[in-house]
Amino acid sequence: MPSPGNASWRSGADASGVRCYIGCMNAEPRNPLLPPEGMSDEEWTAIRDARADADIAAGRGVPHELVAEWASRLGTPRETPMPREWLA
């Protein structure tokens, strides 16, 4: 089976528009917010909290004022997509 680092591993969508990976049997990526198999919700929450704390300590974050300004435009004619740099 191809691996994600393999050039033959391509993503796409099936006829219903559901995201799938060509090269395996319609496997969808696991939701990154859910704990990995075999890990409790509490363990996963502790790991995610530690990662968030490290990001904040390193200055990687988006100020509340910017998020609030962007969110205030949701559902209005001035709505814009979330800035990509917020996901970096």
Side-chain angles (χ1 to χ4, degrees):
M1 176 184 304
S3 66
N6 185 325
S8 65
W9 184 278
R10 302 181 321 265
S11 76
D14 66 12
S16 67
V18 174
R19 200 96 178 125
C20 61
Y21 287 89
I22 301 159
C24 66
M25 295 181 55
N26 198 26
E28 292 186 46
R30 190 161 163 74
N31 183 333
L33 299 178
L34 298 177
E37 300 229 2
M39 184 180 287
S40 72
D41 287 341
E42 293 79 17
E43 291 171 312
W44 186 233
T45 298
I47 289 170
R48 290 178 51 217
D49 287 350
R51 288 177 181 169
D53 290 343
D55 282 344
I56 291 168
R60 293 184 298 265
V62 180
H64 172 78
E65 294 76 19
L66 292 178
V67 175
E69 180 185 327
W70 170 79
S72 72
R73 294 190 304 263
L74 293 175
T76 72
R78 299 178 339 163
E79 181 174 335
T80 59
M82 182 173 53
R84 286 181 179 236
E85 59 269 14
W86 290 5
L87 299 174

